[in-house]
Amino acid sequence: MPARLAEVHHAHEEEIEFHTLTNPVEFIGDEDGYLVAMRCIRMELGEPDESGRRRPVPIEGSEFETPVDTVIIAIGNASNKIIADTTPDLEVDARDRIIADLETGQTSKKGVFAGGDVVTGAATVILAMGAGKRAATAINEYLMGEG
Ligand SMILES: Cc1cc2nc3c(=O)[nH]c(=O)nc-3n(C[C@H](O)[C@H](O)[C@H](O)COP(=O)(O)OP(=O)(O)OC[C@H]3O[C@@H](n4cnc5c(N)ncnc54)[C@H](O)[C@@H]3O)c2cc1C
């Protein structure tokens, strides 16, 4: 669980139930398309991978359904692929992170600036705010130059 101990503690305090080693595989709707259940599968820890982390592997035949009416998928920090798919002249790296000048936020596309997690990968609020401030200065200079 990639979270700080204090975060786990607070979640327990708020009576959040953890179902570790459980993976959702399907959302099930009723005849009107409203969500009614989620099918999950139990996992177990397999052999360690190259990083030494034991990868979870599904336990065959362990699927079960649990009733739900709302699901929030809150996993991972990957970039939205829509950027790379819709803006071919905006340079991105192998993980679809926008390539931008770290001092100005200028990207490969004229007049387009970027900063924060979509440039650095998962980082912190303070770093994203810093990038925003530097980009604001650079955008101002860019607009003055254009005018
Ligand atoms: C669980 C968790 C805990 C964290 N805890 C901390 C912490 O304690 N301290 C800390 O400093 N940092 C923490 N972070 C990291 C921090 O949240 C990020 O580094 C920071 O939010 C990055 O800011 P950002 O503006 O770059 O991106 P975001 O905050 O992710 O903002 C990007 C915005 O763009 C929107 N967006 C995406 N695609 C599109 C699109 N196509 N069109 C329009 N809008 C779009 C998104 O909806 C989102 O609102 C945490 C992150 C997570 C996930």
Side-chain angles (χ1 to χ4, degrees):
M1 189 185 303
R4 294 184 201 107
L5 273 181
E7 291 171 330
V8 177
H9 171 78
H10 291 144
H12 278 300
E13 266 188 352
E14 290 176 28
E15 297 183 9
I16 306 295
E17 276 179 43
F18 291 95
H19 296 264
T20 51
L21 290 173
T22 307
N23 217 26
V25 288
E26 185 183 356
F27 298 126
I28 298 160
D30 63 15
E31 60 276 9
D32 297 319
Y34 287 103
L35 183 67
V36 289
M38 178 168 67
R39 195 187 320 280
C40 298
I41 188 164
R42 304 246 184 246
M43 312 287 282
E44 61 187 349
L45 293 177
E47 293 302 313
D49 62 15
E50 320 75 59
S51 71
R53 181 173 179 263
R54 292 180 66 193
R55 287 209 157 273
V57 290
I59 303 174
E60 223 173 287
S62 68
E63 289 93 343
F64 65 97
E65 275 181 27
T66 189
V68 292
D69 57 14
T70 304
V71 168
I72 299 171
I73 300 173
I75 182 166
N77 295 52
S79 308
N80 192 330
K81 235 189 126 16
I82 201 170
I83 296 168
D85 289 348
T86 58
T87 323
D89 48 346
L90 187 66
E91 238 183 287
V92 295
D93 67 14
R95 293 183 176 176
D96 290 323
R97 293 182 297 214
I98 300 174
I99 297 171
D101 184 304
L102 292 181
E103 277 315 305
T104 63
Q106 176 64 59
T107 67
S108 58
K109 196 169 162 70
K110 188 169 180 274
V112 173
F113 297 77
D117 282 10
V118 79
V119 170
T120 55
T124 62
V125 170
I126 201 82
L127 285 174
M129 288 171 68
K133 278 186 132 181
R134 286 192 298 279
T137 304
I139 291 167
N140 193 38
E141 280 167 15
Y142 169 79
L143 291 175
M144 300 296 268
E146 287 290 295

